[in-house]
Amino acid sequence: MEFGYIGINYKNANQDIMDQVSFTDSRKIDFLQEASVQGIEQCMVLSTCNRSEVFFFAPEVHAFSAAEKLYRSCFPGVELKACIKSLAGTDAISYLFRVTAGMESMVAGEDQILGQVKDAFDLSKTLGCTGKELNKVVREAVTCAKKIKTELKVSEQPLSVSYVGIRKLEEEFGIRGRKAFVIGSGNTAALAIRYLYEYGADGVCVCSRTAEHARQLQNKFPGLSIAAYEDRYEQIAESDIIVSATAAPHQVIKYERLKPGRRAAFLDLASPRDIETEVGKKALLLNLDSLNAIVEQNKKLRGKLLEQGQAMIEDALLETVSWLNSTGVDRTIESLQLRCDEIVADSYEYLNRKLALNSREQKILKKILKASLRRLLREPILELKHTDSKEQQDEYQKMLNELFQLKKEE
């Protein structure tokens, strides 16, 4: 049995291609069922916004080409030649370990992929498309990913400027119980609103040049209130925290227009800047200059942590590959033991006819015959199990098949 991978991900395909090669739930089921017919005995489909990939075990080399052909048939009319990739053996297993640990993700070290791998495996298991080999590889990949997550805490080094900014506000000013005001309605503003709520802001208000955009945000955050863009300075005077994240080509908060009021903190997430730097003279002001420096530091730290994660993967990989190598000779060992049982049965029947044995002596005779033959086979079996080389395993198995006249698999 050989482990294989085939698929497309964000590293080798643009978003247009990724949109076209997504597996719906129905398509996953069809693929898994057809894969079984094609001789791909164990299979898992992992489909996310950034990857469309298949991991499988197959007994024959030709099944790899069958897997690629089946994959291509799922997306007729899509040109996949330049972006489809495949791996086999240890390389494919190593890749699955890295994917599960978030090391192949667009945001390296993210946690979401771990749950997506588990969901993909659960579907395959429910449809009866897994076996002991795939169960083992996925289980070890998940276990290793959890260990990396728990021990290294890679995802706790945030790379989102919005998150870094809100966390910095929490550290230097405090958010819980504060009134917050957000200017802007794009993705950055939406993330800022989400994190403000998570940190316990006591009410969040938003304003946007386009009122409809503000209302769309209100649909996502039901407790959100809306202010008119023209009234932003009045709202600023009543707020503790002001976050600005617009796409305006000019500054939207001027120093001279700020009204005297409560002590406040300003977070500027825009480029070019939304808030005049002079605001920092009378209030806490955080902008992209300081936040990007933190993000870069976090990236470097994540990189170092991921190097440690790769070392942890290598250790787990060696153990998994060793286990798979040992299972590759299971059928030969089972055939040897069956051959042993046949010889014991023949010898016992002959001796039982020639000797007048009582029932107790018959049991003893059968046990001695079986133990003697198993003892003879013990060393060859141990040698077979402990051989890491696939080529040497194949040689040993061929030799044992010939020497003991073992029945070949149909």
Side-chain angles (χ1 to χ4, degrees):
M1 293 281 278
E2 185 89 42
F3 188 64
Y5 154 82
I6 187 164
I8 295 172
N9 60 56
Y10 74 96
K11 289 185 177 181
N12 45 52
N14 59 36
Q15 192 57 51
D16 182 54
I17 293 292
M18 293 306 307
D19 289 343
Q20 297 178 71
V21 297
S22 176
F23 278 89
T24 62
D25 287 344
S26 176
R27 186 176 280 171
K28 288 178 189 176
I29 294 170
D30 291 342
F31 183 95
L32 291 169
Q33 292 177 337
E34 183 60 28
S36 181
V37 174
Q38 296 287 339
I40 303 167
E41 298 176 0
Q42 304 176 47
C43 191
M44 177 179 79
V45 177
L46 178 62
S47 183
T48 72
C49 57
N50 288 323
R51 59 187 70 251
S52 172
E53 303 178 319
V54 177
F55 300 89
F56 60 91
F57 271 100
E60 309 243 344
V61 175
H62 81 269
F64 279 63
S65 59
E68 180 171 344
K69 185 177 179 181
L70 179 57
Y71 183 93
R72 289 178 180 275
S73 72
C74 291
F75 312 107
V78 184
E79 181 51 56
L80 304 178
K81 185 176 181 180
C83 49
I84 193 168
K85 303 294 180 184
S86 61
L87 296 168
T90 303
D91 290 339
I93 299 171
S94 177
Y95 178 70
L96 176 58
F97 273 60
R98 287 179 57 81
V99 166
T100 309
M103 297 173 71
E104 293 288 338
S105 296
M106 187 175 288
V107 178
E110 56 94 6
D111 296 331
Q112 188 178 12
I113 189 64
L114 175 57
Q116 291 168 333
V117 169
K118 288 158 71 175
D119 289 343
F121 177 70
D122 286 344
L123 176 62
S124 291
K125 195 170 184 181
T126 299
L127 295 175
C129 298
T130 67
K132 68 177 183 178
E133 288 85 4
L134 187 59
N135 292 348
K136 173 70 174 181
V137 171
V138 175
R139 183 171 64 247
E140 293 302 321
V142 168
T143 299
C144 185
K146 287 181 177 178
K147 184 178 180 182
I148 290 171
K149 172 180 167 63
T150 301
E151 295 186 10
L152 302 183
K153 297 179 172 57
V154 179
S155 62
E156 292 186 14
Q157 309 304 320
L159 303 181
S160 160
V161 174
S162 293
Y163 185 76
V164 168
I166 298 299
R167 195 160 86 167
K168 192 70 173 172
L169 273 179
E170 167 65 15
E171 291 172 0
E172 297 196 16
F173 188 75
I175 295 174
R176 182 166 297 280
R178 307 276 196 177
K179 293 185 181 299
F181 177 48
V182 177
I183 305 172
S185 55
N187 291 334
T188 302
L191 282 173
I193 293 169
R194 173 185 156 199
Y195 297 137
L196 284 166
Y197 277 123
E198 287 183 4
Y199 275 96
D202 183 19
V204 181
C205 180
V206 67
C207 79
S208 172
R209 284 184 180 274
T210 306
E212 178 57 30
H213 293 170
R215 284 192 288 271
Q216 289 173 5
L217 280 176
Q218 196 174 43
N219 291 334
K220 293 176 64 175
F221 305 99
L224 190 66
S225 59
I226 299 175
Y229 180 78
E230 295 75 17
D231 298 333
R232 63 189 182 280
Y233 285 102
E234 285 74 13
Q235 194 64 44
I236 288 172
E238 298 174 3
S239 302
D240 303 300
I241 295 170
I242 298 90
V243 179
S244 195
T246 77
H250 55 269
Q251 293 172 333
V252 300
I253 299 179
K254 301 285 189 177
Y255 174 74
E256 68 272 8
R257 292 198 58 187
L258 292 179
K259 299 176 181 179
R262 67 180 83 190
R263 177 173 171 264
F266 290 77
L267 173 61
D268 189 349
L269 297 175
S271 179
R273 295 174 184 174
D274 274 347
I275 305 174
E276 278 189 338
T277 55
E278 286 81 358
V279 171
K281 295 177 181 178
K282 63 167 60 176
L284 172 66
L285 173 61
L286 303 173
N287 57 33
L288 292 181
D289 291 337
S290 57
L291 300 180
N292 283 332
I294 296 172
V295 169
E296 287 304 313
Q297 289 175 359
N298 288 350
K299 281 183 181 178
K300 291 178 182 178
L301 181 54
R302 274 202 185 201
K304 291 178 181 179
L305 292 174
L306 289 175
E307 287 178 8
Q308 296 178 42
Q310 181 60 40
M312 293 165 71
I313 284 177
E314 293 298 332
D315 291 341
L317 184 63
L318 285 173
E319 183 180 338
T320 303
V321 171
S322 176
W323 183 90
L324 287 173
N325 285 339
S326 70
T327 62
V329 299
D330 282 353
R331 290 187 176 92
T332 297
I333 292 172
E334 185 179 341
S335 296
L336 270 174
Q337 291 171 338
L338 288 173
R339 182 67 176 136
C340 171
D341 291 342
E342 288 175 3
I343 295 170
V344 167
D346 291 343
S347 301
Y348 169 77
E349 287 179 12
Y350 176 80
L351 292 171
N352 195 38
R353 287 196 304 269
K354 294 294 184 180
L355 304 171
L357 303 174
N358 58 39
S359 59
R360 179 175 174 276
E361 291 168 334
Q362 289 173 349
K363 289 180 181 179
I364 292 173
L365 174 62
K366 188 178 288 188
K367 283 185 177 181
I368 289 175
L369 288 171
K370 190 169 186 175
S372 298
L373 279 178
R374 287 291 173 93
R375 181 181 176 188
L376 178 66
L377 294 176
R378 183 175 180 275
E379 294 303 324
I381 287 175
L382 286 176
E383 183 65 25
L384 194 56
K385 277 191 169 184
H386 293 157
T387 301
D388 292 331
S389 166
K390 182 71 166 57
E391 292 76 15
Q392 197 168 23
Q393 279 186 358
D394 291 341
E395 281 184 36
Y396 283 172
Q397 289 182 92
K398 183 179 178 182
M399 186 183 301
L400 288 169
N401 286 333
E402 292 174 357
L403 289 174
F404 289 90
Q405 298 180 13
L406 302 178
K407 294 178 182 178
K408 293 183 178 181
E409 296 178 44
E410 296 296 331

